[in-house]
Amino acid sequence: KISPAIFGSLFQSVMDEKARRNLGAHYTSEKNILKLIKPLFLDGLWAEFEKAKANNNNLKKLHDKISKLRFLDPACGCGNFLIIAYRELRLLEIEIIKILLKESIKSQQAITDISIYVQIDVDKFYGIEYEEFPAQIAQVAMWLIDHQMNQLVSQTFGEYYVRLPLRKSATIKNGNALQTDWQSLIEPMPWEKEQARYHYILGNPPFIGKHLQNASQKNDMEIVFTGVKGAGVLDYVTAWYIRAAQYMQVANNVEEKDLPKTKTAFVSTNSISQGEQVGILWNELFNKYHIKILFAHRTFKWGNEAKGNAAVHVVIIGFANYDINEKLIYEYEDIKGEAHEVKAKNINPYLIEGNDSFLPSRRKPICDVPETLYGSKPVDDGNFFFTNVEKEEFLITYPDSSKFIRPFLSAKEFLNNEKRWCIWLNEANPSEVKKIKGILERVEKVKEFRLSSSKEATRKLASLPTLFAEIRQPTSEYILIPLHTSENRNYIPFGYYSPEYIVGNSCTAIPKATKFQFGVISSLMHMSWVKYTCGRLESRYRYSNDIVYNNFPWPENPNIKQITTVENAVTAILDARLLYPESSLADLYDPNTMPPALVKAHQQLDKAVDLCYRPQPFINETKRIEFLFELYDKYTAGLFVKTKKKKSELK
């Protein structure tokens, strides 16, 4: 019973760009929404339209089909995805009606009432939203976009068309989508003989990492991932993947003539396709629910258009529990730029072409290379440490302490060329330590700090106050790897150090590594692997021994000449660094300030390492990572022992 004038006023207040941006995180740009909608269903429907438009009967069948399609956004916010999906479906319907009207005029059977042709309505659109206000906005917004499309019908066909009074509406439920039966929103329609279902599930579920989840959200995760080992590290968004997989497992057993099977696409933080989350989530999706990835947008910057809202790095993943022949990957040369489409036979969880495999957490490398060590952890409240000035002052007062003070390397000192020192009493002679009052005072403070801890494990460490809490110091020369580093660098800087340098737990070390091994991990081949397999801290790389290093496929059989060429290139890199003693590695490896000599040395190393893998050059990073995953599959093919069969079975 709302008049068109009041409807227009509501439309301006809710649908106006500026007003909707003020809704903050609930507003998402149309451009980003279309990145999900187009490959999920829109491109396919337009392709069907192009095939059917020459045949009136086929076009009517297509029209009937799209009028029966159901859409669910189980984290709908203000309804942005539903609004754009509805609008695009109505635009397609208008093109269908144009042709049908044209044909009816030719046959002198023109129907003047345009309402007979308009079949798509908002009642096939469903949403679930946790917050009440956005849910109400979504409900009204669906009526308003319907009103807008009806106005377009009027303009296009020259006949006034309006659906007032309102008789149908979208179904928007205010509730917890992870504890709601999604099917309960559907009421079967009179024309249906079979059970009704959603054909497309879509949306942008909440981006909440494990450390930011509140008690209620943690409870949701425990319910959804009951019995799944390691699920405590997963982002909140992953629960929607499981719920969608569970829904499709049931829904796709229901036959609906001429209607597609259910498939899903979600926007997600890119962490679900990197690092430790991949093995946990996709093991469940692949093996329990038989999910296949049908299309994927690789990492790009997603920002809603609210004022002051930060952009995040996301992926879009379209999936279902059935397979198709041709899949699509959308690649981004620049995460802020536009994607280009690449056809793929299969898409793995890292969103590259490859088998449905994922990297497990391993304690040892898959290849014959040195094992890594995480650095030592002090747990000392800073009492073991000195700045350069503090060390000099301490040595003036306690000159005999010099043998117990060692250079210390955290990622910060390593990358920024800063000096820091620590008291290192591992295997120290107690009688010598007791003579140095300054060290004893600091040891006592360490003991007091540990005793005051709320953690029992830390309190137990108070019994060994002279030592770091965790000691993993290499006894030979080692390669140092900073665990967190900027994603803006083309290469992660690594370093060579003697065991005199104490490595902290913000780094990992590779003892007894060769110059050749230093070269391989410093190359673009290894960097490509890091980008696709490591976890992220915000957008920074988070290097992992268990996921990145231990799963890395090294060159199979490099010959002496290839090894020597790599070693020579490493020498050139280390020499180029020495040309700038006052510059930190952060400065030297900044893409904007990287010295030409260092750039050239790394380029020579990249060529040398590439040749250790194969004689043909790699034309881009995608080809590198695809090759590495193929090599990984080859290395690991014999690592998984199958259950032994009985002699009778073997016979």
Side-chain angles (χ1 to χ4, degrees), residues 390-409:
E390 289 170 342
K391 184 203 78 164
E392 295 303 323
E393 292 175 349
F394 192 82
L395 287 177
I396 291 172
T397 308
Y398 307 104
D400 294 339
S401 65
S402 60
K403 65 186 298 183
F404 301 120
I405 297 178
R406 304 268 285 274
F408 181 82
L409 290 168

Side-chain angles (χ1 to χ4, degrees), residues 312-472:
V312 292
H313 292 165
V314 304
V315 294
I316 296 174
I317 301 177
F319 60 100
N321 63 339
Y322 59 85
D323 203 0
I324 59 176
N325 292 327
E326 192 173 273
K327 303 173 179 70
L328 296 173
I329 299 173
Y330 296 86
E331 293 185 338
Y332 292 80
E333 298 298 330
D334 178 355
I335 60 172
K336 298 178 184 178
E338 296 301 315
H340 62 273
E341 186 180 290
V342 178
K343 293 178 181 178
K345 292 181 180 178
N346 199 66
I347 304 173
N348 74 13
Y350 301 93
L351 309 187
I352 63 170
E353 182 160 12
N355 296 331
D356 288 338
S357 57
F358 45 83
L359 305 179
S361 179
R362 297 183 189 276
R363 293 185 178 181
K364 293 186 177 182
I366 61 172
C367 298
D368 186 18
V369 291
E371 295 182 28
T372 56
L373 293 172
Y374 283 111
S376 299
K377 186 176 181 179
V379 189
D380 69 320
D381 199 29
N383 290 296
F384 281 143
F385 291 92
F386 303 93
T387 63
N388 226 22
V389 173
E390 289 170 342
K391 184 203 78 164
E392 295 303 323
E393 292 175 349
F394 192 82
L395 287 177
I396 291 172
T397 308
Y398 307 104
D400 294 339
S401 65
S402 60
K403 65 186 298 183
F404 301 120
I405 297 178
R406 304 268 285 274
F408 181 82
L409 290 168
S410 70
K412 183 174 180 286
E413 284 83 41
F414 170 67
L415 292 170
N416 296 292
N417 201 21
E418 297 177 2
K419 300 291 184 183
R420 197 173 176 207
W421 307 82
C422 71
I423 296 171
W424 187 254
L425 300 174
N426 193 29
E427 298 181 358
N429 188 320
S431 61
E432 292 182 279
V433 175
K434 285 184 71 175
K435 296 176 182 177
I436 306 172
K437 182 182 177 182
I439 288 182
L440 288 177
E441 289 174 348
R442 285 178 173 251
V443 167
E444 182 61 31
K445 288 180 181 178
V446 171
K447 183 177 181 179
E448 291 172 1
F449 171 72
R450 292 177 180 176
L451 283 172
S452 66
S453 174
S454 60
K455 297 179 180 178
E456 183 181 354
T458 303
R459 292 196 299 272
K460 286 182 178 180
L461 290 171
S463 63
L464 297 170
T466 59
L467 303 180
F468 275 34
E470 298 173 13
I471 298 174
R472 293 179 289 265

Side-chain angles (χ1 to χ4, degrees), residues 38-278:
K38 285 171 65 64
L40 178 64
F41 69 89
L42 194 59
D43 288 344
L45 292 180
W46 276 101
E48 288 185 52
F49 169 75
E50 291 298 324
K51 289 180 180 179
K53 67 181 182 181
N55 184 298
N56 216 35
N57 288 331
N58 290 342
L59 200 59
K60 287 178 180 178
K61 287 181 181 178
L62 176 61
H63 193 190
D64 182 60
K65 170 184 172 178
I66 65 174
S67 71
K68 295 176 180 177
L69 295 175
R70 283 194 179 81
F71 298 79
L72 169 68
D73 184 345
C76 70
C78 291
N80 298 294
F81 282 80
L82 296 174
I83 291 165
I84 302 301
Y86 183 76
R87 184 197 69 187
E88 293 300 313
L89 214 60
R90 289 291 301 272
L91 289 173
L92 173 58
E93 182 182 49
I94 287 172
E95 294 305 311
I96 292 173
I97 293 172
K98 284 180 182 178
I99 296 175
L100 293 177
L101 272 176
K102 187 177 179 182
E103 291 299 317
S104 67
I105 291 170
K106 283 183 182 180
S107 61
Q108 297 182 342
Q109 295 177 353
I111 299 173
T112 55
D113 186 0
I114 196 67
S115 64
I116 294 175
Y117 284 94
V118 181
Q119 296 184 26
I120 298 173
D121 211 332
V122 294
D123 60 328
K124 300 297 191 302
F125 286 74
Y126 304 78
I128 305 172
E129 169 54 36
Y130 189 78
E131 297 180 40
E132 184 178 2
F133 177 66
Q136 292 175 348
I137 292 294
Q139 183 79 61
V140 176
M142 288 302 293
W143 278 321
L144 298 180
I145 190 64
D146 181 58
H147 179 64
Q148 184 184 44
M149 298 314 298
N150 293 338
Q151 287 181 321
L152 183 59
V153 168
S154 299
Q155 294 168 13
T156 303
F157 299 106
E159 180 184 337
Y160 182 67
Y161 177 69
V162 66
R163 284 171 171 157
L164 291 174
L166 299 171
R167 291 186 175 88
K168 295 182 179 180
S169 67
T171 301
I172 308 296
K173 180 178 177 62
N174 175 210
N176 184 336
L178 299 180
Q179 296 185 27
T180 297
D181 177 7
W182 294 1
Q183 185 66 21
S184 68
L185 276 66
I186 295 180
E187 294 181 5
M189 303 298 174
W191 53 263
E192 293 170 319
K193 296 179 181 179
E194 300 90 359
Q195 174 70 45
R197 61 183 171 85
Y198 307 111
H199 303 96
Y200 300 103
I201 300 170
L202 69 166
N204 178 11
F207 300 162
I208 305 173
K210 61 177 181 179
H211 297 301
L212 299 177
Q213 293 167 18
N214 60 33
S216 175
Q217 290 158 348
K218 287 182 183 294
N219 182 56
D220 288 341
M221 294 293 285
E222 289 173 6
I223 292 171
V224 173
F225 288 95
T226 300
V228 178
K229 187 178 180 180
V233 306
L234 295 175
D235 289 353
Y236 196 43
V237 66
T238 59
W240 273 260
Y241 277 75
I242 297 298
R243 288 299 313 273
Q246 290 169 345
Y247 181 84
M248 291 187 291
Q249 194 176 45
V250 176
N252 284 336
N253 289 325
V254 176
E255 292 294 333
E256 284 187 285
K257 187 178 179 181
D258 299 326
L259 291 175
K261 289 187 174 182
T262 305
K263 65 178 176 179
T264 302
F266 289 138
V267 181
S268 315
T269 43
N270 61 0
S271 53
I272 73 163
S273 61
Q274 299 166 344
E276 61 185 344
Q277 294 196 49
V278 175

Side-chain angles (χ1 to χ4, degrees), residues 497-511:
Y497 287 94
S498 69
E500 176 70 15
Y501 286 80
I502 306 302
V503 57
N505 64 312
S506 62
C507 303
T508 194
I510 310 175

Side-chain angles (χ1 to χ4, degrees), residues 475-488:
T475 57
S476 63
E477 284 194 344
Y478 62 89
I479 294 173
L480 183 142
I481 301 174
L483 292 178
H484 298 104
T485 184
S486 170
E487 77 283 6
N488 296 322

